[in-house]
Amino acid sequence: MKTVRAVGLFDSGVGGLTVVNEIYRALPLESTICFGDSAHVPYGSRSAEELIYLADKIVSFLINQGVKYIIFACNTNSSLSLPILQKRYPIPMIGLVQPGAKWALQVSRNRRVGVIATEATVQSASYERAIKAMDANALVFSQAAPKLVPLIEAGKIDTTETRMAINEYLTSLKKNGIDTLILGCSHYPFLSKIISEELGPEVVLVDPAQATVLEAKADLAARGLLNYFNGQKPQHQFYVSGDPKSFQAGARIFLGESLTRVVKVELL
Ligand code: DGL
């Protein structure tokens, strides 16, 4: 029987689970290996050098586990380390920025697109570049939201603290008349409901994970790498560099799953 190879993905922490959720929905026959680099969260305040160094270790780890494809389930790394690591390794890789930018332009009515993301993603201007390359007349308004990842990692979703931070970050975007907001950090879709309440129903939220997984599906099919039903249930493995228990707690909240096995590995 042909060995079933998994799709690998990684993020700094529970953000990767937004992408796992999309894989469950759009690629239900695929096995996954998800790495949460929780010893180094948050990524958003790290330098490009540090991010590339860490991403390189994780990509090698995933390749050693035999994955056939890697999804950078992190916008910060999709912005800063994907272009470098794509040249370093022959394995096919995809990030969240390009598909997210494309999707945002498809849904925007007035081409005034907001982006909330980590400091590193905003500084890289990756979304702005991707959007402008597809539509030079589109206007992109970006806002770094550094308080949100620590709040989400702590499981603080519908709290006064989180609502206040969201209000602070969205004020200038609202003034700029955006009709579309890209959730440019894979942690933020867990706050969709609160963000949408703050912005009102006329602003469309874009979760880049959805478009990315659909593109990954087409890419896997084009490369002959898609899994077809063979009677075997897909396997989902989880690795972390930090505390497995806090990742398990996050998975209970965000994936609605009790992960019985989360393996801690040192990134050497
Ligand atoms: N979830 C990641 C992203 O999409 C990283 C967030 C962080 O650790 O700061 O950017």
Side-chain angles (χ1 to χ4, degrees):
M1 194 187 298
K2 225 174 112 186
T3 0
V4 175
R5 290 171 70 206
V7 172
L9 61 134
F10 75 96
D11 176 55
S12 60
V14 294
L17 300 179
T18 58
V19 177
V20 170
N21 268 329
E22 289 309 318
I23 294 179
Y24 286 176
R25 234 193 303 266
L27 287 168
L29 299 179
E30 294 299 328
S31 292
T32 60
I33 299 181
C34 175
F35 191 97
D37 190 9
S38 47
H40 301 106
V41 65
Y43 274 169
S45 50
R46 294 186 181 274
S47 67
E49 288 69 28
E50 281 178 296
L51 291 164
I52 294 163
Y53 175 84
L54 292 168
D56 189 306
K57 300 266 174 221
I58 299 167
V59 163
S60 323
F61 171 80
L62 292 171
I63 292 172
N64 285 335
Q65 300 303 307
V67 301
K68 59 185 174 185
Y69 195 86
I70 298 180
I71 302 180
F72 280 47
C74 167
N75 291 267
T76 310
N77 274 296
S78 303
S79 303
L80 292 150
S81 51
L82 177 65
I84 311 283
L85 296 182
Q86 253 169 342
K87 291 192 194 118
R88 220 174 261 179
Y89 295 95
I91 185 165
M93 301 173 179
I94 191 171
L96 296 166
V97 173
Q98 202 62 33
K102 206 195 285 176
W103 190 280
L105 275 179
Q106 272 162 14
V107 299
S108 174
R109 303 175 304 274
N110 68 6
R111 290 183 297 165
R112 299 175 76 86
V113 177
V115 181
I116 49 169
T118 65
E119 285 162 304
T121 299
V122 169
Q123 271 163 28
S124 77
S126 56
Y127 272 104
E128 208 162 324
R129 264 199 316 279
I131 291 173
K132 296 265 188 194
M134 287 181 270
D135 183 344
N137 294 320
L139 290 175
V140 182
F141 303 95
S142 300
Q143 173 67 53
K147 290 180 195 161
L148 300 185
V149 166
L151 286 167
I152 295 163
E153 285 287 331
K156 293 183 184 168
I157 302 305
D158 198 350
T159 65
T160 312
E161 203 183 350
T162 308
R163 283 188 181 265
M164 276 170 64
I166 286 172
N167 175 278
E168 173 193 334
Y169 296 136
L170 297 183
T171 303
S172 67
L173 294 175
K174 280 203 267 190
K175 282 197 190 118
N176 284 318
I178 57 161
D179 74 353
T180 303
L181 178 69
I182 299 176
L183 304 175
C185 167
S186 57
H187 282 71
Y188 301 170
F190 296 129
L191 300 176
S192 295
K193 191 172 157 280
I194 301 172
I195 293 173
S196 200
E197 279 168 19
E198 181 70 31
L199 287 174
E202 60 286 351
V203 178
V204 178
L205 300 189
V206 169
D207 172 3
Q210 297 173 355
T212 304
V213 170
L214 290 179
E215 274 198 28
K217 184 176 184 173
D219 198 15
L220 284 163
R223 294 171 187 273
L225 291 174
L226 213 51
N227 269 357
Y228 292 96
F229 187 66
N230 64 357
Q232 281 178 287
K233 258 178 78 180
Q235 303 290 314
H236 302 289
Q237 298 174 52
F238 295 87
Y239 292 91
V240 288
S241 56
D243 177 20
K245 287 213 164 43
S246 62
F247 192 84
Q248 279 163 318
R252 259 193 303 279
I253 304 174
F254 300 122
L255 209 54
E257 251 186 67
S258 291
L259 303 178
T260 44
R261 195 158 177 270
V262 174
V263 181
K264 180 171 172 160
V265 292
E266 302 283 342
L267 283 183
L268 293 174

